[in-house]
Amino acid sequence: MVFGAIPGAESEAVIYPGLYIIAFGTGGIKPNVSTFGADQFDDDNEQDKKEKESFFNWFYWSINLGALISYTLVAYICQYGIAGLGGEDWGFFIGFIIPAVSMALAILAFYSGTPKFTIKPPSGSILSAACGMIFEAAVTRRNEAPEAEYWLHRASRRYNGSYPDSLVKGMSYATKLAPFLMLLVPYWLCYSQMSTTFQNQGCQMDLSFGGADIPVSALNLFDTVAILMLVPVFDMVVFPAMKASGAPVSMLQKIGWGFVFAILAMGAAAVVEVIRKSNVPEEEYTGLDSFLADKDHISACKDANNFDPRKFQSWYSDRSLDEPTNCWSICSDLDADGSLSFDCIECDPVPQAASLSVLWQVPQFLLVGTSEILASVTAMEFFYSQTPSNMRSISAALNLLTTALGSWATIPLVLVVNANKSDAWVPDDLNKGHLEQFFVVIVAIMVVNLAAFMWFAKGYKYVKATELKALAEEDDDHVEVTKELRSENEGGGDDDDDDDDAVKFA
């Protein structure tokens, strides 16, 4: 990314591989870092057990501290550069160096602390065993063992299945989490609006503040600020106070309240959009008129040159220039000087920004940040604490997958609401759309999602830490026995297949 940002040498061939490498590295870090951190606490130690309850809150807090630096220092440098270090032209180069150096230092710190970490050895992939258990229980033995208390137990040896009882029991805990994973997807749909429609909305608002312009992306700062300010409040005041009063808040209740705050955020965004549209200038500038008029209300995120018929006229005469993307020719008549006649040029109306301050968006960002503390942080804790130790990384990975699916869900949803091209809800120029209705649709989706979540939560029975610990001990004992069997049979060619599976997947 650093090399791809060198002025004059910018290349998609460098930038895109850099982005994919970041995604690849993130895929390795994110599912494991929270699990690894939580594993550092000993559940048999009361002090560790108490501190572990706060770990995920402060883990998320530290993530957002990094985001704060990104949205302020790094974003400013990328956009405006540093005088004496190349200025604006070298902004992205200098900006990308900061996270590159930070990651190098983080790796150094991580490896220097390795001798002090509690490291649980890898026990093999659970994926193939999980697929085998599900297939056996749902297909090959679906009509067997009707007395089994849970459908997946049909695959256990207790009911003449192929898999160790402890492994099946642990997998049954994990499968009961599936509804909650699916119900997190709509929540992340809400969250993803911060980097999509919230940005589009901000682009057509008044960005001026104190004699300077606020970068649209800087509004994400308020989401981060909400988390940095409220995590300590929830962790040290709200949750302990409720526990002391005899009304502790369960993990699923926290997630449910997170959904409520997400609904409020989408509602706030819809209200802001209605007010924003009522403050858009009535004049619609097109053609030369738009460039003879006051440009103060042109959307900050649009390049005015793309709507300038004079730029199109110049491009028409010299194709080596950049072509304005929002102008086109309707005839080929030339003026006396050989230039394309302005009568032959049409351009889209210049998108107008409302006079409403972009700071009106602050509440919706704060509400999303509050929802993250309750839903996102607690989801990490929930999926960690409710799965056996050998399934926690994959549980964390599936939790992160819901984030990606929620972000992706914005795409088909926008395609649906924009199906009528003559009346698109989320067009390039929001003044001609119905963004407020788009937010209302998301509110409706989340209300239905919350109702479903409450239904599943009502019937969910929490798995106690002692149960998971006992299950892990059963797995450890089984692994030791089967390893001994394999050692005895080594070279004999008659290893038991079931024992092999137990060693590989336990």
Side-chain angles (χ1 to χ4, degrees), residues 250-253 382 385-386 457 460-464 467:
S250 70
M251 287 183 285
L252 290 176
Q253 286 174 332
F382 179 68
S385 66
Q386 297 297 293
Y460 183 76
K461 181 181 178 181
Y462 286 94
V463 181
K464 296 179 180 179
E467 295 179 60

Side-chain angles (χ1 to χ4, degrees), residues 314-323:
S314 299
W315 170 82
Y316 194 88
S317 301
D318 182 0
R319 297 302 173 95
S320 66
L321 301 174
D322 291 334
E323 179 184 5

Side-chain angles (χ1 to χ4, degrees), residues 153-212:
H153 292 175
R154 292 195 290 265
S156 71
R157 289 173 180 167
R158 178 183 177 187
Y159 296 102
N160 299 317
S162 305
Y163 294 88
D165 295 347
S166 58
L167 190 63
V168 174
K169 189 174 182 180
M171 188 63 194
S172 69
Y173 292 150
T175 57
K176 291 176 183 179
L177 302 178
F180 300 109
L181 284 168
M182 292 186 289
L183 293 170
L184 275 171
V185 174
Y187 168 75
W188 290 113
L189 168 66
C190 290
Y191 174 86
S192 68
Q193 301 314 304
M194 287 199 301
S195 58
T196 53
T197 52
F198 283 14
Q199 300 293 308
N200 296 345
Q201 185 182 55
C203 281
Q204 293 191 241
M205 300 178 74
D206 182 5
L207 302 180
S208 62
F209 179 75

Side-chain angles (χ1 to χ4, degrees), residues 405-418:
L405 292 175
S407 298
W408 175 85
T410 299
I411 299 172
L413 185 59
V414 170
L415 290 175
V416 169
V417 300
N418 283 354

Side-chain angles (χ1 to χ4, degrees), residues 82-87:
I82 299 177
L85 290 176

